[in-house]
Amino acid sequence: MKLYNTLSRTKEEFQPLNDKVVNMYVCGPTVYNYIHIGNARAFIVFDTVRRYLEYKGYKVNYVQNFTDIDDKIIKRAQEENVTTKELAEKYIHEYFKDADNLGIKRATVHPKATEHIEDIVKFIKILIDKGYAYVVNGNVYFETAKFKDYGKLSHKNIEELQAGARIEINEEKKNPLDFVLWKAQKPGEPAWDSPWGRGRPGWHIECSVMSTKYLGKTLDIHAGGPDLIFPHHENEIAQSEALYGQQFSKYWMHIGYLNINNEKMSKSKGNFFTVREITEKYHPEVLRLFMLMAHYRNPINFSLDLMDQANSAYERLLNAMANLKHLLTVCKERELNEEEKRIVEKFEEYKKEFEEAMDDDFNTADAISVLFEMAKTANINLSGNSSKELVKYILDMFLKLSEILGLFYRTVKTDIDDEEILALIEKRQQARKEKNWKLADEIRDRLREKGIILEDTPEGVRWKRM
């Protein structure tokens, strides 16, 4: 299995420190608002990476943090007249609602910055003692000039970084690239005790502290969005390797940028979408499928037209699965004939192709193409006369591979009974006879939201619960 390492800018053979365990850290959200679809791409992609590693037999220790104290949280809490803790807890709760909806598995640990202040203070104290950090007026800064490899992740030298970085002028710093480890308290801000006075941690330090606390001094994989390469991940490397004197992470993974209608997502441009907004219009798994239909390192463009296309693709896969489930109820138990044995061999080839795609830097785009080929082959070759054993074999494989992508594995809870379903189907059929396509589509969508899939066949309408 190979993955692209941002650090080396090459695809490398994946060799974790332990051949049975993968220690993986993903930078989580700053919890002052609902997560947006750019956040969602990262969380969906790395959840899929985790799922595939588990499929390959690894135990994955997966840590994703919550940044629950920073300038944005403080500002938003003041605007809402609540404490920073109350605001953060609210949006952590909302994050889990969105993440669960998207099929993103809970991390092994979800640490919070404010619950690790003591660890952060100890970490900073050692950096000061080692000569890598300095104190000015209660603020503590990391001295980047002392770390000779600074810039190795972004592949830029110090001069390039100074020219390209947007860094506020701060006369306290020895160098414009020096970054804050501890911020002295300002009036009205929450603060904690430290040897340098009351204050709070800087953003970069929390990830170094929490990742190494739960995963060890050297991680297997550290992952996040492309905007985190510099300065966040660059600074994590500097402070962590300065403290421990060894490699911080073997592999660095970063997703491509997400644009909206070919423009950068921005609230000021009115093209900003939260996950909550999109999943009110589309099934959450449609958004997940959309995010995985491109290779994770490629930039992707988001639009409602493209989501409609993803929705159509999702329904094709869903209908294939519903058809397989229907065949299970009508096919008879018998031994496979020669033609069915050849079909089994074909599906074993599909499984191999799926794994080869995922082994090649988690190429979900090609893996999804394999699912469509499986669906097509099943639709062409299976009927009510097929062996139940063959149908079950194909359905089990389809579901197992789909689950790696986080699709079709959840049971949708529904509060609709069979009588109501049949009544709505009859109403839809009447609308179709009257050529009232709008109403017919609305009924179909309503049933889908309830977890009911309709399939129009020459024999009439078939329906299945997801």
Side-chain angles (χ1 to χ4, degrees):
M1 183 168 64
K2 292 187 176 181
L3 61 79
Y4 183 88
N5 190 351
T6 307
L7 191 63
S8 65
R9 288 186 172 178
T10 60
K11 281 186 190 179
E12 298 179 14
E13 193 68 34
F14 182 59
Q15 296 178 324
L17 296 171
N18 183 312
D19 61 4
K20 294 181 180 179
V21 178
V22 175
N23 290 321
M24 183 173 180
Y25 186 86
V26 175
C27 286
T30 300
V31 283
Y32 69 100
N33 205 340
Y34 298 101
I35 59 170
H36 57 68
I37 57 174
N39 301 137
R41 187 185 188 192
F43 302 147
I44 288 168
V45 164
F46 299 125
D47 174 73
T48 305
V49 169
R50 173 196 188 174
R51 287 170 177 271
Y52 188 64
L53 290 171
E54 290 174 338
Y55 171 82
K56 296 283 279 189
Y58 291 105
K59 177 181 185 289
V60 181
N61 294 322
Y62 191 93
V63 177
Q64 181 181 299
N65 72 305
F66 288 117
T67 296
D68 62 343
I69 185 68
D70 88 329
D71 292 342
K72 292 178 181 177
I73 292 172
I74 293 170
K75 182 174 183 292
R76 184 68 179 268
Q78 290 171 343
E79 290 170 353
E80 296 193 10
N81 196 29
V82 296
T83 66
T84 54
K85 181 177 175 60
E86 288 170 335
L87 183 86
E89 289 298 327
K90 171 186 174 181
Y91 285 110
I92 287 172
H93 176 73
E94 297 300 335
Y95 164 81
F96 280 129
K97 283 172 66 174
D98 285 334
D100 291 347
N101 216 14
L102 291 171
I104 296 167
K105 295 170 66 175
R106 299 288 176 104
T108 311
V109 184
H110 279 287
K112 303 171 190 172
T114 60
E115 294 176 351
H116 294 78
I117 300 297
E118 186 178 339
D119 298 310
I120 290 169
V121 168
K122 287 179 182 177
F123 197 108
I124 295 171
K125 188 174 185 305
I126 297 171
L127 286 175
I128 294 172
D129 293 342
K130 285 192 164 193
Y132 285 101
Y134 56 94
V135 184
V136 182
N137 298 326
N139 296 302
V140 184
Y141 298 97
F142 184 91
E143 190 169 355
T144 54
K146 294 283 186 72
F147 185 70
K148 64 181 179 63
D149 290 331
Y150 194 73
K152 67 179 179 179
L153 183 67
S154 53
H155 302 278
K156 295 180 180 180
N157 59 39
I158 294 290
E159 290 74 23
E160 288 176 318
L161 290 172
Q162 287 175 332
R166 293 182 299 170
I167 301 172
E168 294 179 8
I169 297 173
N170 185 335
E171 294 180 357
E172 290 185 347
K173 295 181 180 181
K174 295 181 180 180
N175 182 308
L177 284 174
D178 292 352
F179 56 91
V180 67
L181 301 173
W182 187 262
K183 293 184 175 184
Q185 182 181 25
K186 293 178 182 177
E189 290 187 348
W192 292 263
D193 291 330
S194 82
W196 321 286
R198 286 180 64 76
R200 58 187 170 91
W203 174 37
H204 312 300
I205 193 69
E206 66 174 89
C207 286
S208 283
V209 170
M210 292 188 288
S211 62
T212 54
K213 177 181 176 72
Y214 293 101
L215 299 174
K217 297 175 183 177
T218 299
L219 321 179
D220 291 307
I221 298 173
H222 197 312
D227 54 321
L228 299 182
I229 295 173
F230 182 84
H232 185 53
H233 288 164
E234 196 76 72
N235 292 349
E236 279 191 69
I237 289 174
Q239 62 201 11
S240 301
E241 296 188 1
L243 185 80
Y244 293 118
Q246 62 189 62
Q247 186 177 23
F248 176 43
S249 182
K250 285 191 70 176
Y251 305 96
W252 289 85
M253 298 182 69
H254 296 91
I255 63 166
Y257 282 100
L258 182 143
N259 292 320
I260 309 291
N261 296 316
N262 296 307
E263 290 187 318
K264 184 177 180 181
M265 184 165 61
S266 168
K267 286 184 178 178
S268 62
K269 292 180 180 178
N271 66 349
F272 182 91
F273 294 106
T274 65
V275 167
R276 194 67 57 88
E277 289 170 327
I278 297 302
T279 53
E280 285 175 355
K281 297 177 181 177
Y282 299 92
H283 191 289
E285 288 188 357
V286 174
L287 180 58
R288 183 164 183 128
L289 180 66
F290 171 83
M291 295 297 185
L292 297 176
M293 288 175 77
H295 190 279
Y296 77 89
R297 284 193 289 113
N298 292 339
I300 59 172
N301 185 48
F302 179 94
S303 71
L304 296 182
D305 286 344
L306 291 172
M307 278 295 290
D308 286 340
Q309 293 176 29
N311 188 63
S312 296
Y314 178 77
E315 288 198 343
R316 289 202 303 275
L317 292 175
L318 207 57
N319 287 336
M321 183 179 68
N323 189 48
L324 287 167
K325 289 184 175 180
H326 170 72
L327 290 176
L328 265 187
T329 67
V330 298
C331 290
K332 301 288 190 280
E333 295 276 5
R334 63 168 174 78
E335 291 186 2
L336 272 61
N337 60 37
E338 292 305 311
E339 177 59 29
E340 289 172 334
K341 288 176 182 177
R342 284 191 285 273
I343 294 172
V344 167
E345 290 174 1
K346 182 63 177 173
F347 274 82
E348 285 297 321
E349 290 175 17
Y350 285 141
K351 179 183 176 184
K352 184 179 179 183
E353 289 172 14
F354 183 98
E355 291 175 349
E356 286 173 349
M358 293 299 286
D359 283 341
D360 183 17
D361 194 27
F362 305 98
N363 191 336
T364 56
D366 284 356
I368 288 169
S369 295
V370 174
L371 288 185
F372 280 106
E373 286 299 315
M374 290 172 63
K376 180 180 176 181
T377 301
N379 287 338
I380 291 172
N381 290 280
L382 299 186
S383 71
N385 296 320
S386 298
S387 163
K388 179 175 272 190
E389 181 184 343
L390 176 65
V391 175
K392 186 176 187 306
Y393 163 83
I394 291 174
L395 178 60
D396 287 348
M397 180 183 290
F398 187 84
L399 289 174
K400 186 172 185 179
L401 298 183
S402 297
E403 185 176 354
I404 293 168
L405 302 174
L407 301 171
F408 313 129
Y409 73 99
R410 290 173 293 169
T411 301
V412 176
K413 294 180 180 177
T414 178
D415 56 1
I416 188 169
D417 59 27
D418 291 3
E419 188 174 329
E420 186 179 353
I421 293 167
L422 293 172
L424 284 169
I425 289 174
E426 179 60 32
K427 187 176 179 181
R428 176 175 175 268
Q429 289 297 88
Q430 186 61 38
R432 284 162 62 89
K433 286 178 184 177
E434 297 169 358
K435 300 189 185 304
N436 187 345
W437 309 118
K438 184 174 183 293
L439 177 59
D441 288 345
E442 286 175 356
I443 294 171
R444 186 187 188 102
D445 291 344
R446 178 181 167 188
L447 285 166
R448 185 172 64 240
E449 287 171 5
K450 296 283 190 180
I452 306 302
I453 306 302
L454 301 185
E455 182 182 3
D456 295 308
T457 73
E459 294 78 31
V461 180
R462 290 205 309 235
W463 64 272
K464 283 284 181 183
R465 295 182 189 272
M466 285 176 61

